[in-house]
Amino acid sequence: MKVRSILVAAAIAATAAVLPAMAQHDHHEAKGVTVQGEILDLACYVGHEAKGPKHASCAAMCLKAGQPMGLLAKDGTVYLLLGDHDDTSAFNTAKEMAAKNVEIAGEPVSRDGIKGIIVKSVKPL
């Protein structure tokens, strides 16, 4: 009986720890956004601030290998770029534009201090 009481207490504690996280609201914004900037491979940018034309071939390889992709906006904000679950074509097109200046349109999202854009369209500048 003692083991059963311990298991029940552990289950209650685990549920109490998970419920606040489940209660958080998704931070999707209601309207779209259009942002201009440079497509980044975030592994190299965060690791050693690699960006720009001199880093283009490395960024292309990193994005092709699956490293996370971002956008360095003209105001200095870095956005994590995310694929749309219903249509990833614009996100995949953005991957082909590593280190290029583009205009991204999409849905702004944020979570725990991370700013992101669900990519709906991309065009070169």
Side-chain angles (χ1 to χ4, degrees):
M1 213 42 159
K2 188 172 184 175
V3 171
R4 183 174 179 189
S5 297
I6 292 171
L7 289 175
V8 169
I12 291 170
T15 301
V18 170
L19 284 178
M22 291 174 62
Q24 289 181 346
H25 294 288
D26 199 12
H27 292 268
H28 285 265
E29 302 294 326
K31 55 186 171 180
V33 65
T34 301
V35 181
Q36 294 181 349
E38 178 186 337
I39 297 283
L40 301 170
D41 103 76
L42 290 175
C44 290
Y45 180 76
V46 173
H48 49 273
E49 203 178 349
K51 62 182 179 178
K54 291 181 179 180
H55 186 289
S57 63
C58 180
M61 287 189 302
C62 287
L63 292 180
K64 187 175 181 176
Q67 293 291 353
M69 179 171 52
L71 182 75
L72 175 59
K74 291 184 176 188
D75 69 0
T77 303
V78 176
Y79 295 92
L80 176 64
L81 296 180
L82 306 162
D84 184 333
H85 284 90
D86 295 326
D87 180 4
T88 60
S89 60
F91 178 79
N92 290 330
T93 298
K95 281 185 185 182
E96 302 297 321
M97 301 174 141
K100 304 272 192 256
N101 287 306
V102 299
E103 181 175 277
I104 298 281
E107 181 182 342
V109 293
S110 65
R111 170 103 37 228
D112 299 331
I114 298 171
K115 292 182 178 186
I117 300 173
I118 298 173
V119 180
K120 303 289 187 176
S121 70
V122 58
K123 66 179 183 181
L125 292 180

